[in-house]
Amino acid sequence: MGVIARQSIKGAVANYLGVAIGFVNTFVVLTRCLTSAEVGFTRVLVDAAVLFSSLAQLGSNASIVRFFPYFKDNDKNHGIFGWSLLLPAVGFSLFALLFLLFREPLSALYADKSPLMADYLYVLPMITFFALYMTVFETNASVLLRITVPKMVREVGIRLFNLVAYLLYGAGWVSFDVFVWLFCGSYGLAMVLNLVYLLSLGRISFRIDRRFMTRRKLGEIMRYTLFMTATVLAGNIPLLNSLFLGAKVGAAMTGVYAIAMYIANVVEVPYRSLGAISQPVISAAVKEDDWREVNRLSRQVSLHQLLVSSLIFFLIWINLDVLFHYLPNGDQYVGGKGVVFILGLAKIANSSLSIGTNVLNFSRHYSWSLLFIGVLTAAALLLNDKLIGLWDINGAAAATLLSYVAYFGLLLAFLKWRLGVSLFSWAQLKVLAIVAALFALDVLWRGWVTPLFGGAVLVEAVVKTAVLGALAAVAVYGWRVSDTVNRMADNALRKMGMRR
């Protein structure tokens, strides 16, 4: 776990630096410089681009991770990187063709509730292309166990580029047309930076080794890659929400949902680094048929993701009121509080259980995931259609949570049945007990302690976070929820001279 730990920590630093910049973007700049309808437009545009770029990959990113151990030969990788460029090019060409055919119906779908999306639909192919190859280059870096710089580009670079666009538009120095081009260009610049970094590693070749790529290997890769194309929706179900909301309730409410979703997204930030860096290691263990190691790694990842994501969610929730209190135009967005809670639960489930999806996809039983993805996609589509009509943006969030419940229930049962892999341990029950106790303390605090602060919400937030956060740390350490966490804490205490 040495390389995983180092790259995960560095990746987490990049992620949380991005979160800090994103916090400034979202809660200081975005809500001040853009209207809620404009916020909703940018959200729908990005979510559509991410969804379509994921489909355009044609499963190539998953196949790169799965088959890289078979291609790796010291510093020779037999052209797997060339393969990673070829398939997405085919996928994007298909997307571009479909976009040309269905542009008018798509524009009509958003014309009534989200006119901005209808007016600027023509930029969707461009931002989709940028998002597609930014991810391709990032995946290539991850299989080389070099994820920190691409994470910095994704989490920090794009947010900084977007910040410039927000400020220029908010100051009235550029028109909205120019702002849209600058916003899309942020992803183009990120794509170029990822390519430059990948080339700087000096360990890749985009030339496909035809002697190594036998017909049998090519057939196996093609079957897996095309299959993964059908399963790509698993990681992108939340993106469907904003697309549904934009068409059903309009861009303004989608903007409220977007702000709430950004807050909830902080919950799964750690998984973006740990998940990315652990996948190649688990893939290698599957290749060696070492299921004991797969089980151990999966439980470790799941436990630590549950621990971190649950505590982050708790800290967000106890500070949510003060966040909306100081948010520019916060009265327009406070209606998203329920979305934060529901999506927060969904993010905890996704970040702590998604490693199971990787295990299945790397195994010989990967074809079963098509059934589970079918259930997930059908549930998401049906629940979004029904629940948005009942509960508006809360309905979209509930659709995501309930879809995940159905999906992960089936997935985890199958992993235990066919592969003998279980993500659960007694330590996870300890985590849930600690978090439940913290929420109970929050209720008591609101009733007994909050009146003592006399409306000083910021002071109370700082004190409350410090007190309850310290209690959480003591509980995790004292109950030995994780030996890894305890060792890290002991090392930190020794460096500070507080323990021998």
Side-chain angles (χ1 to χ4, degrees):
M1 289 286 285
V3 175
I4 294 180
R6 287 194 301 271
Q7 286 291 307
S8 296
I9 291 171
K10 292 178 181 178
V13 170
N15 284 332
Y16 279 108
L17 183 57
V19 168
I21 298 172
F23 180 88
V24 175
N25 277 4
T26 303
F27 301 113
V28 178
V29 178
L30 184 62
T31 54
R32 189 186 302 274
C33 295
L34 275 66
T35 66
S36 59
E38 290 167 343
V39 172
F41 159 71
T42 59
R43 183 73 265 163
V44 174
L45 180 63
V46 170
D47 284 353
V50 172
L51 178 61
F52 293 136
S53 67
S54 298
L55 293 170
Q57 290 169 17
L58 296 181
S60 57
N61 279 8
S63 65
I64 292 168
V65 176
R66 185 178 192 271
F67 290 104
F68 182 76
Y70 298 86
F71 281 77
K72 184 178 180 181
D73 180 14
N74 295 323
D75 288 335
K76 296 180 180 180
N77 297 306
H78 301 289
I80 191 171
F81 299 110
W83 179 262
S84 74
L85 297 185
L86 180 62
L87 271 185
V90 174
F92 180 78
S93 298
L94 293 174
F95 160 75
L97 176 61
L98 291 173
F99 177 81
L100 291 175
L101 292 175
F102 294 100
R103 176 178 174 179
E104 292 303 322
L106 277 174
S107 181
L109 181 65
Y110 287 97
D112 183 31
K113 298 290 186 179
S114 302
L116 283 176
M117 188 63 191
D119 292 342
Y120 291 95
L121 193 62
Y122 63 87
V123 302
L124 183 58
M126 177 179 64
I127 194 172
T128 298
F129 179 84
F130 294 154
L132 169 62
Y133 277 98
M134 179 182 70
T135 303
V136 168
F137 299 142
E138 185 177 322
T139 303
N140 282 331
S142 75
V143 297
L144 296 174
L145 301 181
R146 290 295 181 268
I147 197 63
T148 303
V149 171
K151 284 296 178 186
M152 286 289 291
V153 171
R154 177 182 291 274
E155 303 297 339
V156 178
I158 290 178
R159 287 183 170 94
L160 287 176
F161 306 149
N162 285 344
L163 177 60
V164 173
Y166 297 147
L167 291 174
L168 289 174
Y169 176 64
W173 294 345
V174 300
S175 65
F176 190 74
D177 286 344
V178 175
F179 163 76
V180 172
W181 285 100
L182 289 174
F183 184 81
C184 295
S186 298
Y187 293 84
L189 183 55
M191 178 194 71
V192 172
L193 290 175
N194 273 355
L195 174 59
V196 170
Y197 174 71
L198 187 61
L199 294 174
S200 73
L201 296 177
R203 296 168 56 192
I204 64 170
S205 171
F206 293 114
R207 183 178 180 181
I208 298 176
D209 188 344
R210 294 184 179 180
R211 291 174 299 177
F212 187 84
M213 183 73 77
T214 63
R215 181 174 296 182
R216 180 179 178 182
K217 285 182 180 178
L218 180 61
E220 184 181 359
I221 294 172
M222 283 297 297
R223 285 193 298 272
Y224 182 81
T225 299
L226 294 176
F227 174 80
M228 291 307 298
T229 303
T231 66
V232 73
L233 282 173
N236 294 299
I237 286 300
L239 304 180
L240 295 175
N241 294 352
S242 59
L243 302 186
F244 268 90
L245 288 169
K248 284 179 169 289
V249 301
M253 286 300 291
T254 306
V256 175
Y257 182 88
I259 297 299
M261 184 172 64
Y262 174 81
I263 299 171
N265 281 346
V266 177
V267 171
E268 64 178 3
V269 166
Y271 183 72
R272 298 175 192 173
S273 55
L274 181 57
I277 201 64
S278 63
Q279 287 178 28
V281 181
I282 290 177
S283 176
V286 172
K287 174 181 177 291
E288 298 299 326
D289 207 28
D290 188 353
W291 290 101
R292 183 176 181 179
E293 178 66 5
V294 171
N295 203 49
R296 186 187 70 82
L297 287 170
S298 301
R299 286 191 177 187
Q300 279 196 2
V301 172
S302 182
L303 168 63
H304 291 103
Q305 286 305 309
L306 177 64
L307 174 62
V308 175
S309 61
S310 297
L311 292 179
I312 291 173
F313 175 61
F314 172 72
L315 293 176
I316 289 173
W317 184 252
I318 64 176
N319 289 291
L320 197 56
D321 289 333
V322 69
L323 185 59
F324 282 118
H325 178 79
Y326 286 101
L327 180 70
N329 302 312
D331 56 321
Q332 298 180 24
Y333 298 97
V334 71
K337 188 174 180 180
V339 173
V340 175
F341 185 82
I342 299 170
L343 280 185
L345 296 178
K347 298 297 182 182
I348 291 173
N350 188 51
S351 60
S352 58
L353 301 177
S354 281
I355 195 66
T357 301
N358 301 134
V359 172
L360 178 60
N361 289 340
F362 296 148
S363 76
R364 65 182 182 277
H365 300 293
Y366 64 84
S367 59
W368 277 84
S369 61
L370 184 61
L371 171 64
F372 307 143
I373 297 302
V375 172
L376 175 63
T377 305
L381 293 173
L382 292 173
L383 290 171
N384 267 290
D385 187 54
K386 297 296 183 182
L387 297 183
I388 289 176
L390 293 175
W391 304 324
D392 290 335
I393 56 176
N394 288 333
T400 296
L401 177 59
L402 294 175
S403 300
Y404 280 157
V405 169
Y407 171 71
F408 284 117
L410 290 172
L411 172 66
L412 298 181
F414 181 84
L415 289 179
K416 181 63 177 176
W417 172 50
R418 295 297 295 175
L419 301 176
V421 174
S422 174
L423 306 187
F424 300 121
S425 63
W426 287 107
Q428 289 169 313
L429 292 179
K430 293 181 180 181
V431 173
L432 295 177
I434 290 172
V435 173
L438 290 171
F439 272 97
L441 290 174
D442 176 51
V443 173
L444 295 176
W445 183 290
R446 292 174 188 267
W448 295 349
V449 182
T450 296
L452 301 178
F453 284 89
V457 292
L458 186 58
V459 174
E460 182 193 0
V462 172
V463 174
K464 186 178 183 180
T465 300
V467 172
L468 296 184
L471 288 176
V474 170
V476 171
Y477 181 84
W479 207 358
R480 298 195 67 84
V481 170
S482 164
D483 290 337
T484 301
V485 171
N486 276 46
R487 283 196 301 270
M488 293 174 66
D490 289 338
N491 289 336
L493 291 172
R494 277 193 289 268
K495 289 180 179 179
M496 292 186 292
M498 300 175 65
R499 170 164 293 191
R500 295 181 179 178

